[in-house]
Amino acid sequence: MSKEVNWQAECLKKGFEYVREPDDHYVIADPSEMVALLRDLLGVDVRTKEGDSYGVAVSELQEQIDGLVNTLHAQHAERDALLAERDAARMRVKELDLLFGRYLLAMKAAVIDADQRGDEEGMRWIYNSLEGPGELPAEEEMDAQAFFDREIKPINDAMAELFAALQGEQP
């Protein structure tokens, strides 16, 4: 398992000079001190075949670096997926907000038309708003209150569940 390391901070703590250029980063330090830092941070035995203390076991160090790079790539991919999901959710909320606004506007226009030209003209706004997306009630529905009571129950249940979930998110 790779250990996350803030190399710049660790090098600066040791008094090393950390140089950052557009396409490269490097550390200016005594090799034996750098070897000790690598050993402490990564747990890698950094000795050459001859056993001196300032060579680096490149293959072990490269494995550690590759693991860190792979972890970083995976985290970036996960972040990108979460950002895409967030953006899709935002668009869905915007769509629902616009639809809701559209239906409120149609109901307001219906009230104005009913006041000015009669109830039948006002109801035309409501009828057209429901007919367009195919939301008219079935022709066999005869009791408006019974229809409303039956259809509002799952909506109210879902709203109660939503509000309970939102309450749970609050500190």
Side-chain angles (χ1 to χ4, degrees):
M1 170 123 25
S2 297
K3 175 181 175 182
E4 286 194 37
V5 176
N6 180 336
W7 288 104
Q8 184 176 5
E10 293 298 329
C11 289
L12 292 175
K13 273 195 245 178
K14 292 282 190 182
F16 300 162
E17 184 179 349
Y18 186 90
V19 180
R20 175 178 247 162
E21 294 182 349
D23 294 329
D24 201 6
H25 302 241
Y26 55 92
V27 176
I28 300 172
D30 178 83
S32 62
E33 291 177 15
M34 191 65 196
V35 166
L37 177 65
L38 291 170
R39 185 182 57 246
D40 293 345
L41 293 176
L42 298 177
V44 175
D45 183 12
V46 285
R47 297 174 186 267
T48 63
K49 291 179 189 174
E50 294 81 31
D52 61 31
S53 62
Y54 40 87
V56 175
V58 175
S59 63
E60 290 180 35
L61 182 57
Q62 188 63 50
E63 285 179 28
Q64 291 287 330
I65 291 170
D66 289 346
L68 292 170
V69 168
N70 290 338
T71 299
L72 183 62
H73 286 303
Q75 289 172 343
H76 280 234
E78 183 179 349
R79 181 207 60 206
D80 291 345
L82 289 170
L83 289 173
E85 187 178 325
R86 179 206 61 195
D87 292 344
R90 284 181 173 169
M91 291 302 290
R92 180 62 65 186
V93 167
K94 184 176 182 176
E95 175 189 25
L96 293 172
D97 182 53
L98 293 170
L99 282 170
F100 187 71
R102 183 180 188 165
Y103 288 124
L104 282 176
L105 181 61
M107 286 188 277
K108 290 176 183 181
V111 169
I112 293 168
D113 225 4
D115 285 346
Q116 300 301 312
R117 300 186 327 156
D119 292 343
E120 192 170 318
E121 291 300 316
M123 277 305 297
R124 189 180 317 265
W125 285 92
I126 304 295
Y127 186 90
N128 289 340
S129 293
L130 293 172
E131 182 182 42
E135 292 294 329
L136 285 172
E139 288 184 23
E140 58 270 4
E141 291 290 347
M142 297 295 161
D143 185 343
Q145 188 64 56
F147 170 78
F148 181 84
D149 292 344
R150 182 180 69 248
E151 297 295 319
I152 198 69
K153 183 176 181 350
I155 294 170
N156 284 341
D157 291 347
M159 288 293 284
E161 185 178 319
L162 174 67
F163 289 145
L166 290 173
Q167 288 290 331
E169 290 179 5
Q170 301 302 321

